[in-house]
Amino acid sequence: MSGAVPIETPVLRRFADGQLLNLSKLVIESALQPIVELSTGKVFGYETLLRGHGRLGFASPLELLDTAEEAGQLLAIEQMLSARALAKFATVPDFAHATLFINLDGRLIRSGGQIVDRMLQQLRQAEIPPSSVCFELTERFDNTSAPEFAALMKRMRQAGFKLAIDDFGVGHAEIKLLCDFPVDYLKIDRHFIAGLDASPRKRHLVRNLVNIAHVLGIRVIAEGVEQEAECLACREAGADMVQGWFIARPTTFVNELQPAYPSLADLGRARRTSQSLDEILIRRQIERLPTVFEHESIDAVFELFRANPRQAFFPVLNANGEPRGIISEHHLKEFIYRPFGRDLLKNKLYERSIAHFVEGAPIIGLDANAERLMTIFANMDGSDCVILTENMRYAGVVSAASLIRVINEKQLQIAQDQNPLTGLPGNRAIRDFMLEAGRDDDQTRFFCYCDFDFFKPFNDHYGFQMGDHAITLFAALMKRYFFSQGDFLGHVGGDDFFIGLRDWTWGEAQEILGRLLSDFHDDVVQLYSSEDRASGRIRGHDRNGIERDFPLLRCSIGVVELPKGLLLDDVGRIGAAIAGVKAKAKDSEAGLAVAVFDPHL
């Protein structure tokens, strides 16, 4: 047994307050937590987090920082932490393509100039561009109330640093920050992400926050993602990136970090496959305009406008190839057409770089569908374009005219997918509906698969024209009974049909589907001869060529129910459920069977 006397935490704390910086240097470590792109599973960056505070007797990092503020050592400790975080970041493989997220304590706004100068010096020594660092503005305090805040934000932005609003939704002045300052990222607080998959109110709120951010050219990071269902819900809300224990916990060991997370890549692959038509059409319309970098001199823009006299704007990128916005010709006109204006712009003392003239533009990933792009574009008054990214880097721009062409082409493709006999949408539209409905877990959904029984002998005996008559008869009956806004009717092909229902109870669906089957049976028997109707059967050959008697034509419907609250992202997973319930429907007397989808099978 050790003879050492344990030191109580309060004693250690009293001892530590006067030498907090020196003790912190001995025990405090920097941990990194990955921030991952939802569409690809690739790591975009890392947030640096303080670890080791417990060795100094503090229950949390915030408690340590509050004590440092009281002791007058907050600036020194924050600079020490930033230096260590940057040194660790520089040891990460492929760090040049990543971003380091560093928290900026609101109490240090008045010392912001010192923080920026020190960071720029460290970055130069490490040969890392400022665009690889993002300062997170914590909302524990009202940052905007400090008189120096606006000037500090302007300087950080023009120096090339990126800015993020941290813990969005639980702070003091986040909407004011969004309105008045050009931030790059919005990090939605864990409070709104926890249980997002099971809360319609949260999903509605997060979805609208994401749309607002994208219209303003801001990318969205969901914080505190701990469950796969939460991750899926974040993606459906349109978030660009996620951070949390579901992906990876913070670690002080660089060798534990991965460049990508396959589980997220697999989730993203299903989404990209389902939206391949939109992506193909959008890629055809992308215009890869020449770009300028925010740190370049204004001469670079003049050269571009001179070489491209018909172009009114150009995208502006940071050193990492990420879009910052656009620079428009009209912003330079007041200087161009003013005496000595261009000389003034190029004067080193005036220090006007491209960063001074960047204006916001909607920014969104290439995996967004065409309708969402159009909605974002329409909500940004006066915007020249939507900037598209791939792997968070600049991919090109699309104009309003290009988006209209995409929508028209998509509608044409959908029309071509329609069955010429029934006029109903085909397999591509059916899959799109299933994917959309699977993700909309605010209500119960029913996927109904309709298949004729004994159609082949009927078609062989009476001819294909009579077979087509039976098919169009069933399609007409479907349209008679299912016409609500949330209903979807599709023609898989031949004698196979699909009915998609949302916001129905099973009792309602069972009643109407029963009527559909009854009416079809009553109508289709009129297509038989009086003799065949009287006998209730016809002679024909089965699929193996064997001659035998067959009952009269009928339809059976197998229904797969997706209960409210069940989010299904990969519709391919329900194939086994479909096969099983269709077999039950064919074996049942009523021709109707239902099965609740079990996601664990």
Side-chain angles (χ1 to χ4, degrees):
M1 179 179 295
S2 170
V5 178
I7 300 177
E8 295 183 2
T9 295
V11 175
L12 180 58
R13 289 281 299 279
R14 285 196 297 272
F15 173 75
D17 285 352
Q19 303 178 36
L20 194 54
L21 177 61
N22 292 330
L23 290 173
S24 295
K25 289 179 179 179
L26 294 175
V27 300
I28 295 299
E29 294 184 90
S30 175
L32 298 178
Q33 185 175 32
I35 297 173
V36 182
E37 299 171 30
L38 264 170
S39 61
T40 63
K42 294 181 180 178
V43 172
F44 175 77
Y46 305 91
E47 180 178 357
T48 176
L49 299 166
L50 185 155
R51 290 295 181 265
H53 51 276
R55 301 175 193 171
L56 296 178
F58 294 100
S60 69
L62 294 178
E63 192 178 356
L64 185 154
L65 296 176
D66 289 344
T67 302
E69 166 68 7
E70 295 170 4
Q73 297 185 4
L74 181 60
L75 175 61
I77 286 181
E78 284 282 14
Q79 289 187 324
M80 181 268 292
L81 292 173
S82 296
R84 290 192 173 182
L86 194 62
K88 179 163 287 187
F89 176 68
T91 66
V92 174
D94 203 26
F95 73 91
H97 297 95
T99 296
L100 179 66
F101 288 75
I102 298 177
N103 285 283
L104 176 64
D105 195 301
R107 294 168 293 193
L108 295 177
I109 297 297
R110 291 176 175 82
S111 305
Q114 294 175 252
I115 294 174
V116 171
D117 289 340
R118 179 77 173 271
M119 180 63 72
L120 287 172
Q121 180 184 2
Q122 293 168 341
L123 289 171
R124 281 193 295 269
Q125 292 173 349
E127 297 184 344
I128 299 174
S131 57
S132 291
V133 173
C134 178
F135 283 103
E136 296 188 13
L137 308 173
T138 176
E139 284 300 297
R140 288 182 67 213
F141 309 97
D142 186 359
N143 296 313
T144 60
S145 63
E148 302 88 351
F149 181 75
L152 177 61
M153 295 301 100
K154 184 177 181 180
R155 186 181 174 199
M156 284 181 164
R157 183 83 178 182
Q158 291 174 357
F161 292 112
K162 295 185 286 191
L163 303 172
I165 302 177
D166 193 19
D167 304 324
F168 189 88
V170 295
H172 289 81
E174 292 122 335
I175 298 298
K176 185 177 179 181
L177 274 172
L178 279 181
C179 180
D180 296 343
F181 299 96
V183 298
D184 300 277
Y185 308 102
L186 185 152
K187 300 186 76 176
I188 298 179
D189 186 74
R190 162 72 184 160
H191 173 81
F192 303 97
I193 303 304
L196 180 65
D197 54 299
S199 172
R201 290 171 66 89
K202 285 186 177 182
R203 286 200 300 277
H204 178 73
L205 182 61
V206 170
R207 191 180 298 120
N208 281 281
L209 285 176
V210 170
N211 287 337
I212 291 171
H214 285 165
V215 167
L216 297 176
I218 299 169
R219 313 314 291 270
V220 177
I221 303 169
E223 294 185 291
V225 176
E226 296 184 358
Q227 305 290 336
E228 179 179 344
E230 292 172 353
C231 188
L232 288 172
C234 288
R235 201 185 66 196
E236 285 315 301
D240 301 288
M241 292 174 277
V242 288
Q243 173 184 0
W245 286 6
F246 173 67
I247 295 94
R249 298 193 178 204
T251 178
T252 57
F253 301 101
V254 171
N255 61 358
E256 292 182 353
L257 299 172
Q258 302 175 207
Y261 290 83
S263 58
L264 270 188
D266 293 340
L267 292 175
R269 191 172 297 116
R271 185 185 193 197
R272 290 194 299 276
T273 300
S274 69
Q275 295 184 348
S276 59
L277 173 62
D278 287 62
E279 188 167 331
I280 289 170
L281 297 177
I282 291 168
R283 284 183 181 275
R284 289 177 185 171
Q285 297 296 334
I286 287 179
E287 188 175 1
R288 183 85 184 187
L289 291 179
T291 60
V292 290
F293 290 93
E294 60 181 350
H295 60 271
E296 291 182 306
S297 72
I298 206 70
D299 270 344
V301 178
F302 289 137
E303 290 301 321
L304 270 182
F305 281 126
R306 185 164 37 246
N308 303 271
R310 292 179 174 273
Q311 186 60 40
F313 67 92
F314 293 102
V316 179
L317 312 182
N318 63 23
N320 294 43
E322 302 164 78
R324 296 281 258 180
I326 62 174
I327 184 167
S328 298
E329 186 180 27
H330 66 84
H331 283 120
L332 303 175
K333 284 182 178 177
E334 63 171 302
F335 294 95
I336 294 173
Y337 298 119
R338 197 170 70 183
F340 310 110
R342 288 188 59 172
D343 293 335
L344 185 62
L345 279 175
K346 293 166 16 177
N347 190 312
K348 289 185 179 180
L349 295 177
Y350 194 55
E351 293 185 344
R352 286 277 174 165
S353 66
I354 289 173
H356 290 77
F357 297 95
V358 177
E359 63 176 300
I363 302 174
I364 195 167
L366 255 175
D367 57 338
N369 61 38
E371 287 77 13
R372 188 152 184 264
L373 280 177
M374 184 62 81
T375 299
I376 288 174
F377 197 108
N379 286 329
M380 185 66 172
D381 290 340
S383 177
D384 293 299
C385 66
V386 172
I387 300 177
L388 297 175
T389 61
E390 191 168 24
N391 297 331
M392 304 300 292
R393 268 61 179 181
Y394 172 72
V397 303
V398 289
S399 63
S402 297
L403 280 176
I404 291 172
R405 286 193 289 271
V406 168
I407 296 292
N408 289 338
E409 179 66 19
K410 182 178 180 180
Q411 291 174 344
L412 179 62
Q413 293 278 357
I414 292 173
Q416 291 174 345
D417 186 46
Q418 290 179 342
N419 187 281
L421 182 60
T422 61
L424 292 175
N427 289 318
R428 177 182 290 158
I430 292 171
R431 179 176 175 80
D432 288 346
F433 169 83
M434 292 174 62
L435 191 63
E436 179 189 356
R439 294 167 175 170
D440 183 13
D441 59 342
D442 292 345
Q443 53 200 345
T444 302
R445 296 131 294 165
F446 296 99
F447 296 164
C448 312
Y449 297 84
C450 313
D451 184 16
F452 292 0
D453 301 333
F454 320 118
F455 179 69
K456 182 182 183 303
F458 171 81
N459 197 53
D460 292 344
H461 187 83
Y462 287 99
F464 72 89
Q465 289 184 328
M466 197 64 76
D468 287 351
H469 193 168
I471 289 171
T472 56
L473 173 63
F474 187 79
L477 289 171
M478 287 170 60
K479 294 173 185 177
R480 178 191 300 174
Y481 281 119
F482 300 101
F483 50 82
S484 300
Q485 184 176 357
D487 301 346
F488 177 88
L489 304 178
H491 191 166
V492 178
D495 59 325
D496 292 274
F497 293 85
F498 174 87
I499 302 172
L501 303 176
R502 290 188 282 195
D503 202 24
W504 287 57
T505 66
W506 170 238
E508 294 168 339
Q510 186 178 27
E511 179 184 356
I512 301 303
L513 290 171
R515 288 188 198 174
L516 171 64
L517 293 177
S518 176
D519 286 357
F520 177 66
H521 179 267
D522 291 345
D523 291 347
V524 81
V525 296
Q526 302 304 317
L527 302 181
Y528 287 85
S529 68
S530 57
E531 294 81 3
D532 290 339
R533 281 202 305 272
S535 65
R537 63 188 65 252
I538 61 173
R539 196 74 178 168
H541 293 84
D542 62 19
R543 298 186 183 279
N544 296 319
I546 300 174
E547 187 178 28
R548 63 184 183 88
D549 289 335
F550 291 90
L552 300 186
L553 181 64
R554 75 164 194 170
C555 180
S556 59
I557 302 178
V559 182
V560 175
E561 176 185 341
L562 271 62
K564 182 178 179 179
L566 173 62
L567 191 150
L568 180 65
D569 191 67
D570 183 4
V571 294
R573 293 173 56 193
I574 66 174
I578 294 168
V581 74
K582 283 176 65 176
K584 288 182 180 179
K586 286 184 177 295
D587 292 338
S588 70
E589 183 177 348
L592 181 63
V594 63
V596 178
F597 177 71
D598 185 351
H600 302 295
L601 293 179

